[in-house]
Amino acid sequence: MVKVLVLGATGYVGFPLCQSLLRANHKVYGLARTQEKAIQLARAEIIPVLGSLEDSGAYLGLVRDERIDVVVDSMSGSSNTARVVEGLIALSKERIEAGRASGWASTKLGYIYVSGMWVHGSSTYQVDDFSPVGCAHARASPPGVVEWRPAVERVVLASRDVLDVMVVRPAVIYGRGNPLWTFLFQPLLTAAVGKGTEAVSVQVDPEAMIPLVHIDDTVSGLQQAIERLPLISGAGIWPVFDLMTSRESLRVVVQAAAWALGFHGKVECAGVGDDALAMAMSCSAWGDSSRARDLLGWQPKIPGMVDGIEKYVLSFRVGRLPVQPLEEARLG
């Protein structure tokens, strides 16, 4: 049993990760900003820790007092990560020094940072876990919305002498109503409901071939990372892992989503313009997750997005239309 603290435990990635860890009989704590979020976690049998990253006292005290094994940062933020790592380094040093003083071995504290494959930027070259990112030797620059993230990764990786660390980079995640897809799916849904629109324009690069991974496979990869972290760190293995299961045409994804949402008119891919999110979503990447499979034992189950597009857009649609009888809410 691993004691895990998840930062971002009520979020899109964090909450299902907590649930998966519980099913594997791990002890799971989750950081909650509000009393309402804490209640949500408690109802799901996740031990709530009321606090925030800005006020680190609550969760750092928990890490020390409960001897947490691994902290997972699923918040994907930038401003507080360095502070989080700094606090965990201090605790890990305390743990190591206490072990030495007692003559008993003490393992390092673990920290997993959930990054993303957008750090590779947009390129037709193949990239992998060893590809440099955010530097002069990188194949491409990250899009603006994550241009800060390579620096955060470097902060995490620089702490390997004191912490057991890992950087896990999911591709673009889909499934279970990921709000990231709203800016693409909403115009299609609006056109479908309007029942008179002949064409709809979406901000995507029609040539984009994007890396994808389902949320369930993302969670399983993170769980494998948590369970194998001490082995990976102890063996001196490069602790960066990209998670992707398919590389698909964004134009085809959008066209398939339009049909599944009930819009049968023309879908125009208008390019990204100067929209920062559109630029990021249109990042082409030819990735390789073989190390995650071989070293983490990751076994993804869902092969691609287009094959199951009907259920993915249904999840999106039912959250944005008035409640209807099930028969009326069917797609198409």
Side-chain angles (χ1 to χ4, degrees), residues 128-149:
D128 58 29
D129 307 335
F130 294 102
S131 299
V133 297
C135 63
H137 304 296
R139 290 290 192 183
S141 298
V145 293
V146 295
E147 63 184 359
W148 45 266
R149 193 172 278 169

Side-chain angles (χ1 to χ4, degrees), residues 116-133 137-141 169 209 211 241-244 247 283-291:
M117 283 188 63
W118 279 347
V119 296
H120 290 296
S122 187
S123 171
T124 58
Y125 294 99
Q126 186 166 12
V127 293
D128 58 29
D129 307 335
F130 294 102
S131 299
V133 297
H137 304 296
R139 290 290 192 183
S141 298
R169 300 174 179 153
M209 296 291 296
F241 296 92
D242 291 348
L243 300 181
M244 66 169 286
R247 181 173 180 256
C283 277
S284 295
W286 180 14
D288 177 13
S289 292
S290 58
R291 289 180 71 251

Side-chain angles (χ1 to χ4, degrees), residues 189-261:
L189 179 59
T190 301
V193 173
K195 301 294 184 183
T197 306
E198 295 183 356
V200 62
S201 177
V202 291
Q203 283 188 284
V204 300
D205 177 355
E207 303 301 320
M209 296 291 296
I210 66 171
L212 293 164
V213 64
H214 191 275
I215 181 61
D216 292 355
D217 289 328
T218 301
V219 165
S220 71
L222 287 169
Q223 181 168 326
Q224 290 296 111
I226 291 165
E227 293 173 348
R228 299 202 177 194
L229 179 58
L231 294 176
I232 295 295
S233 181
I237 295 169
W238 178 242
V240 177
F241 296 92
D242 291 348
L243 300 181
M244 66 169 286
T245 52
S246 64
R247 181 173 180 256
E248 302 181 48
S249 165
L250 184 55
R251 174 180 55 81
V252 172
V253 170
V254 170
Q255 290 176 335
W259 188 268
L261 285 165

